């Protein structure tokens, strides 16, 4: 049950949103209360699509910085707010622009595909962006002989390489949440729940991907649990997605896959969880912190994102 102050916060948020013509976009890894007050909840591809097609003056992004930056790049005329600028991403941090520039120079003649989980500077150095929802299709949209650089997630990169067989050089980055799942704990849970299906985000390490019944982006995992005839799932991605799974199919059972070291027995992205309802309210009131991207970087980063959006639209993704 919501407390009185929570109710007051939500009422005030509604009023501010309407007064300022603002919308709240939230990623599936946000806490349930934030997902419930958002105007739109989605994975990184759907959030980018929504950011580029809405009539709001202000986008308040409940997610991490690279997602808010992508929204700003796609809608530069809008004010994009992120309630806590420390909401970063260990994967985006693993790929610094100076190092990536050298990596591109060391591997000449390759098309540079970067995952959306990167800074605006990395996007500006890339030819096409992808998300976990469309990475395979983006790679397959290129002629078979085209050589590729894929960055920064090595697990997603290897997953795509296995699916497509393309010539890919892969940056050695990982997400601290997805690389930490314990195979032993997942197999123990499977033994205790033999009917459960193991569903896995492609950012997970190979041993975890190998035991998966289904691998997909957050939205694909959600779709899978909706359509699948089974009723129990061991979920190897950030625990926030289970909120939507429960909303969609409340009678099914969802068991969070545990990481190697954990107190909650589940896997949380500390960056995502920096965002709270209180910070969202404060941010919308003051219209800070705002995402600002230097114009030249923004324009250079826009091209590869728009290329991704065009391919995705053509493929109905
Ligand atoms: P999605 O592309 O599935 O939304 O994932 C984003 C992300 O940050 C995964 O860790
Ligand atoms: Fe980044 Fe991992 Fe958090 Fe996703 S879950 S935002 S990849 S640190």
């Amino acid at each position: 049950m919501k407390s009185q102050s929570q109710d007051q916060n939500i009422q005030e948020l509604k009023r501010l949103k309407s007064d300022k013509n603002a919308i709240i976009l939230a990623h599936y890894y946000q806490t349930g209360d934030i997902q419930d007050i958002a105007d739109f909840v989605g994975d990184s591809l759907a959030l980018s699509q929504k950011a580029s097609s809405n009539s709001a003056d202000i986008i308040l992004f409940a997610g991490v910085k690279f997602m808010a930056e992508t929204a700003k790049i796609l809608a530069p005329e809008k004010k994009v707010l992120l309630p806590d600028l420390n909401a970063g991403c260990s994967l985006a941090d693993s790929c610094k622009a100076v190092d990536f520039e050298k990596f591109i120079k060391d591997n000449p003649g390759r098309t540079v595909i970067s995952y959306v989980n990167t800074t605006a500077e990395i996007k500006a150095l890339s030819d096409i962006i992808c998300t976990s929802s469309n990475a395979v299709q983006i790679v397959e949209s290129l002629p078979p002989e085209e050589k590729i650089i894929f960055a920064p997630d090595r697990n997603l990169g290897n997953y795509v390489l296995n699916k497509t067989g393309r010539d890919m050089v892969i940056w050695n980055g990982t997400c601290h949440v997805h690389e930490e799942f314990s195979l032993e704990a997942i197999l123990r849970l499977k033994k205790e729940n033999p009917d459960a299906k193991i569903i896995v985000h492609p950012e997970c390490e190979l041993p975890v991907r190998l035991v998966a019944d289904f691998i997909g982006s957050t939205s694909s995992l959600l779709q899978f649990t909706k359509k699948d005839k089974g009723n129990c799932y061991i979920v190897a991605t950030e625990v926030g997605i289970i909120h939507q799974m429960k909303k969609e199919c409340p009678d099914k059972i969802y068991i969070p896959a545990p990481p190697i070291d954990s107190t909650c027995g589940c896997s949380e992205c500390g960056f995502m969880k920096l965002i709270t309802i209180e910070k969202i309210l404060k941010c919308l009131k003051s219209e800070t912190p705002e995402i600002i991207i230097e114009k030249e970087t923004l324009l250079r980063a826009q091209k590869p994102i728009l290329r991704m959006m065009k391919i995705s639209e053509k493929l109905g993704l």
Side-chain angles (χ1 to χ4, degrees):
M1 227 182 62
K2 287 192 191 90
S3 69
Q4 207 184 351
S5 69
Q6 266 174 319
D7 265 341
Q8 278 169 351
N9 282 348
I10 292 166
Q11 288 318 316
E12 186 156 15
L13 259 178
K14 278 189 183 155
R15 186 186 57 75
L16 282 167
K17 275 198 306 176
S18 144
D19 289 354
K20 294 180 183 235
N21 188 27
I23 54 166
I24 299 180
L25 305 185
H27 190 266
Y28 288 132
Y29 294 165
Q30 291 291 290
T31 51
D33 55 348
I34 295 176
Q35 293 187 38
D36 290 345
I37 53 102
D39 296 285
F40 183 81
V41 187
D43 71 351
S44 35
L45 178 62
L47 289 166
S48 305
Q49 288 162 336
K50 189 70 188 172
S52 68
S53 61
N54 69 81
S55 56
D57 294 315
I58 296 178
I59 296 175
L60 187 143
F61 213 102
V64 291
K65 195 171 173 199
F66 75 80
M67 295 177 175
E69 280 185 348
T70 306
K72 180 69 186 175
I73 293 165
L74 285 167
E77 72 293 351
K78 294 188 197 294
K79 190 176 259 192
V80 177
L81 305 172
L82 180 67
D84 189 331
L85 289 179
N86 293 315
C89 167
S90 65
L91 183 54
D93 286 348
S94 76
C95 193
K96 302 269 183 269
V98 273
D99 303 328
F100 195 50
E101 240 171 328
K102 182 171 181 311
F103 190 71
I104 295 172
K105 268 203 194 110
D106 291 346
N107 294 282
R110 289 177 178 267
T111 300
V112 180
I113 303 184
S114 295
Y115 193 26
V116 71
N117 299 40
T118 44
T119 60
E121 288 74 23
I122 296 295
K123 290 185 176 78
L125 294 168
S126 308
D127 297 304
I128 319 183
I129 303 304
C130 71
T131 74
S132 50
S133 278
N134 61 18
V136 169
Q137 291 89 338
I138 295 285
V139 167
E140 281 177 341
S141 74
L142 301 175
E145 64 283 2
E146 204 156 319
K147 294 179 180 352
I148 293 163
I149 285 176
F150 190 95
D153 192 75
R154 67 159 188 246
N155 292 319
L156 178 65
N158 281 313
Y159 169 75
V160 174
L161 185 141
N162 259 318
K163 286 258 172 203
T164 62
R166 296 297 176 96
D167 182 339
M168 289 167 64
V169 172
I170 299 168
W171 181 268
N172 190 19
T174 54
C175 153
H176 77 293
V177 176
H178 289 89
E179 73 171 341
E180 288 280 306
F181 286 113
S182 157
L183 179 65
E184 288 68 28
I186 290 174
L187 293 177
R188 183 171 23 82
L189 284 171
K190 174 75 181 172
K191 214 169 170 186
E192 289 163 12
N193 303 274
D195 293 336
K197 289 186 178 148
I198 302 171
I199 60 170
V200 167
H201 195 281
E203 285 176 19
C204 292
E205 295 281 353
L206 182 63
V208 172
R209 296 202 311 274
L210 283 175
V211 299
D213 293 288
F214 180 77
I215 302 174
S217 65
T218 45
S219 57
S220 319
L221 298 180
L222 181 60
Q223 286 306 317
F224 180 80
T225 56
K226 263 169 82 176
K227 291 193 181 139
D228 183 58
K229 298 235 174 350
N231 80 334
C232 184
Y233 306 92
I234 297 165
V235 184
T237 190
E238 214 269 0
V239 69
I241 186 69
I242 293 181
H243 181 70
Q244 287 300 320
M245 290 174 174
K246 282 185 179 159
K247 276 177 101 167
E248 295 283 358
C249 299
D251 296 333
K252 295 192 176 190
I253 299 160
Y254 310 95
I255 308 168
I260 292 159
D261 279 319
S262 136
T263 42
C264 68
C266 65
S267 204
E268 288 195 321
C269 172
F271 298 111
M272 285 278 179
K273 267 41 184 193
L274 281 176
I275 310 298
T276 61
I277 295 267
E278 289 71 25
K279 285 186 194 171
I280 290 175
L281 187 56
K282 197 168 159 222
C283 173
L284 196 51
K285 257 187 208 162
S286 64
E287 297 185 20
T288 57
E290 184 184 352
I291 297 289
I292 307 282
I293 304 171
E294 189 254 325
K295 195 169 169 203
E296 200 200 316
T297 307
L298 187 147
L299 291 175
R300 282 174 57 216
Q302 203 176 49
K303 266 197 203 156
I305 304 179
L306 290 177
R307 205 170 154 190
M308 167 187 83
M309 305 284 275
K310 228 173 163 177
I311 298 168
S312 296
E313 198 185 333
K314 215 165 125 193
L315 295 171
L317 296 170

